[in-house]
Amino acid sequence: LAQAIEKRAEACFECHGRNGTSTTPLTPSLGAQPSFFVLAQLFLSRDGRRTREPTPMDAFARGLTNDDLRAFGELIAKLPPPAPPATKPDAARVARARPLVEQRKCAVCHNPDFSGREQMPRLANQREDYLLKAMQDYRSGNRIGYGNAAMAETVHGLGDAQLADLAHFLAHFPTTGTRR
């Protein structure tokens, strides 16, 4: 099963990056995502319940068995975490985002190092454009599935500029943070 999953994962790596770091706009990096998070996202995609708009993930996941979901989760969790962006963080944006991260208690669910756990994704060094879109989708209600009420509540009332600052902060973590 492991070899078969690795072969089938080639399709994943075309968009999400073989090394765990995506270079495709609006496509998340998969490296070091918690295995249960991956399993849950594939399950939601398989059942067409992840977003209101169909995605390529939905078609890919449609034929996956529960054993496949577990195997993909384990495979993805073993990938290296995404590398930090080549650009340095913007100090002003980081300064605006830091209190939002504290006020919104982002580190409670996603861990202080934003490595993710269980069904909460890794956010550290994730693609900035993807983070922004995901938060906008939670705020608008376009991102559906499970546990979205917490995220919708977390981003409720934040404007696009604030979400952009949060995405910038997380995409550059740990260089923006004080913890590793």
Side-chain angles (χ1 to χ4, degrees), residues 71-151:
F72 273 110
E74 290 170 14
L75 175 71
I76 297 304
K78 292 176 184 172
L79 291 174
T87 59
K88 291 186 179 193
D90 178 307
R93 294 179 75 191
V94 168
R96 290 190 301 264
R98 190 170 272 123
L100 292 173
V101 168
E102 296 296 323
Q103 292 164 3
R104 303 294 169 134
K105 301 188 182 344
C106 302
V108 171
C109 293
H110 295 278
N111 285 338
D113 63 355
F114 300 103
S115 60
R117 63 183 171 85
E118 300 154 356
Q119 76 270 20
M120 278 70 75
R122 175 183 185 82
L123 302 177
N125 298 327
Q126 183 56 267
R127 286 187 59 89
E128 189 170 338
D129 60 344
Y130 175 76
L131 288 168
L132 177 58
K133 177 154 181 18
M135 288 187 286
Q136 289 170 332
D137 286 351
Y138 281 120
R139 185 183 63 191
S140 72
N142 189 43
R143 187 130 182 190
I144 56 176
Y146 75 95
N148 294 350
M151 276 304 302

Side-chain angles (χ1 to χ4, degrees), residues 44-61:
L44 292 170
S45 288
R46 180 180 73 184
D47 290 1
R49 296 189 291 165
R50 188 164 177 263
T51 61
R52 294 192 192 284
E53 300 165 8
T55 69
M57 286 296 305
D58 298 340
F60 172 80

